[in-house]
Amino acid sequence: MALTVESVTFDTIDPEKSAQWWAQAMGGELARYVPGEYVAVERKPGPKLMFQKVSDPTPGKNRVHLDLLTADVDTEVTRLVDLGASETGRHSLGPISWVVLVDPDGNAFCVTSGA
């Protein structure tokens, strides 16, 4: 059996708004599978980012999050904050450092330059 990642799915109160934000942040085209309920950001290469409507998002810390790789962490973090993300922390472990942000819905993600 072989598996591939089709999409990474986020719970949100407003799938359209969330998908539009992530389309700006990551690039990609919006695909409205079920308008107002399931909206995706389709990207090539890479899995889709899917946003599904829920009446009550899961509280607390994300159990799964995206780690985004870039050559210029500070520039990318500034761009994402300008789009509406919030920086929540900077961390390092050995040769690896990363910045934690949250999108406008409060979903955590990290930006790193790798090891």
Side-chain angles (χ1 to χ4, degrees), residues 8 14 17 24 27-28 43-45 47 49 60 62-63 69 71-72 77 82 84 86 91 102 105-106:
V8 177
D14 188 343
K17 181 179 175 185
Q24 286 184 304
R43 308 167 43 248
K44 299 289 184 208
L49 301 178
N62 296 30
R63 301 226 18 191
L69 184 67
D72 188 342
V77 166
D82 288 346
S86 298
H91 306 278
V102 294
D105 273 342

Side-chain angles (χ1 to χ4, degrees), residues 15 30 34 43 53-54 60 64 70 79 89-90 92 103 108 113:
L30 291 184
V34 180
R43 308 167 43 248
K53 185 173 185 167
V54 296
V64 176
T70 183
R79 185 182 74 83
R90 290 181 179 250
S92 62
D103 71 9
S113 61

Side-chain angles (χ1 to χ4, degrees), residues 20-71:
Q20 287 176 355
W21 189 88
W22 279 97
Q24 286 184 304
M26 297 288 299
E29 300 295 321
L30 291 184
R32 293 168 178 90
Y33 293 104
V34 180
E37 296 290 329
Y38 293 98
V39 180
V41 176
E42 294 183 340
R43 308 167 43 248
K44 299 289 184 208
K48 292 179 243 183
L49 301 178
M50 179 70 76
F51 301 88
Q52 68 181 6
K53 185 173 185 167
V54 296
S55 59
D56 187 20
T58 305
K61 186 179 182 316
N62 296 30
R63 301 226 18 191
V64 176
H65 68 269
L66 299 177
D67 287 337
L68 306 176
L69 184 67
T70 183

Side-chain angles (χ1 to χ4, degrees), residues 91-98:
H91 306 278
S92 62
L93 185 60
I96 302 169
S97 63
W98 65 96

